Amino acid sequence: MRLRNISGSRDVIAESPYVVQEPQQYRGRWAELFGNPNPIFIEVGMGKGQFLHTLAARNPANNYVGIEKYSSVLLRAIQKMETEELPNLKLLRMEAEELTAVFGKGEAAGIYLNFSDPWPKDRHAKRRLPSAEFLARYDEITAEGAKIEFKTDNRALFDFALEQLPRSAWKADVITYDLHADETLMQGNVMTEYEEKFSAAGNPICKYVLTRRL
Ligand code: SAM
């Protein structure tokens, strides 16, 4: 998802109270930043923020951090906060490869990946957010009992994501190839922007939920 480069978006981000500037300085101290010890959930590749904003509004006893690499996209998440400010949601403009420089060991309670970019060329496989390389980063920054939840309509990416698991610390507790047809899994499901678009087009949505192997 790359919107037109919206002029001035970098300035808006630099001045926004909803965006954490220089997030590395909070490594190991995110509870201080939020002002409470509540669990912290991270969406990697948040896009315009609909999913995380809804989740944060519904769950005030949790904290949420949305990570997005493009300023023009992050701007949309900032605008949602301007319309409805939430104290338990922080936004970061950063490249997800830097996750372990920004979050300390075990600092996150869970990770959400929604409609991650497919990076279809083999030589770019390590850039895919559900790759074994990224799963190792999530392992480092998440607490005991953490879950990773991944949704996509891209079957090739989903199959790749499942193939990565034996090379990782994670196992799948839930796998579905048609989330919207599963009444139980749909309970409490929060739709992302892409999920709305692709499910409306008739694409089945795949989802897994991972927990750590012993
Ligand atoms: N999660 C949203 C949804 O489901 O509607 C957005 C999906 S969009 C296809 C993927 C988003 O992830 C884009 O906005 C992209 O810029 C962001 N993204 C992809 N790779 C990233 C990375 N390595 N670090 C940070 N953001 C990333």
Side-chain angles (χ1 to χ4, degrees), residues 98-168:
E98 305 300 323
L99 268 179
T100 55
V102 168
F103 295 95
K105 207 169 162 20
E107 225 176 349
I111 305 280
Y112 294 105
L113 308 174
N114 291 314
F115 297 81
S116 307
D117 294 342
W119 290 105
K121 290 185 180 147
D122 282 350
R123 70 172 190 278
H124 292 148
K126 289 181 184 175
R127 296 186 193 174
R128 298 172 192 154
L129 295 179
S131 66
E133 288 74 16
F134 269 101
L135 290 174
R137 294 183 179 109
Y138 308 145
D139 186 29
E140 213 175 309
I141 65 166
T142 51
E144 213 182 307
K147 290 181 180 174
I148 300 174
E149 300 198 13
F150 172 45
K151 292 194 276 192
T152 182
D153 69 319
N154 185 319
R155 183 60 192 266
L157 180 64
F158 192 65
D159 289 343
F160 166 85
L162 291 174
E163 283 161 18
Q164 298 295 291
L165 298 182
R167 290 175 52 210
S168 81

Side-chain angles (χ1 to χ4, degrees), residues 1 43 45-47 67-70 73 94-96 114-115 117 129 192-194:
M1 176 199 293
E43 184 181 9
M46 164 190 63
I67 289 175
E68 171 54 49
K69 68 179 171 183
Y70 287 126
V73 183
M94 62 171 266
E95 164 52 54
N114 291 314
F115 297 81
D117 294 342
L129 295 179
T192 81
E193 272 107 352
Y194 271 63

Side-chain angles (χ1 to χ4, degrees), residues 8-60:
S9 56
R10 279 186 183 251
D11 294 342
V12 173
I13 288 167
E15 283 159 24
S16 172
Y18 309 119
V19 178
V20 180
Q21 316 291 338
E22 298 181 29
Q24 294 89 334
Q25 65 180 309
Y26 293 103
R27 189 173 188 276
R29 300 196 298 121
W30 283 90
E32 260 176 61
L33 180 81
F34 279 108
N36 62 58
N38 296 346
I40 298 170
F41 295 86
I42 302 171
E43 184 181 9
V44 186
M46 164 190 63
K48 294 190 257 176
Q50 170 175 305
F51 171 83
L52 215 55
H53 198 275
T54 308
L55 217 53
R58 279 189 195 173
N59 301 286

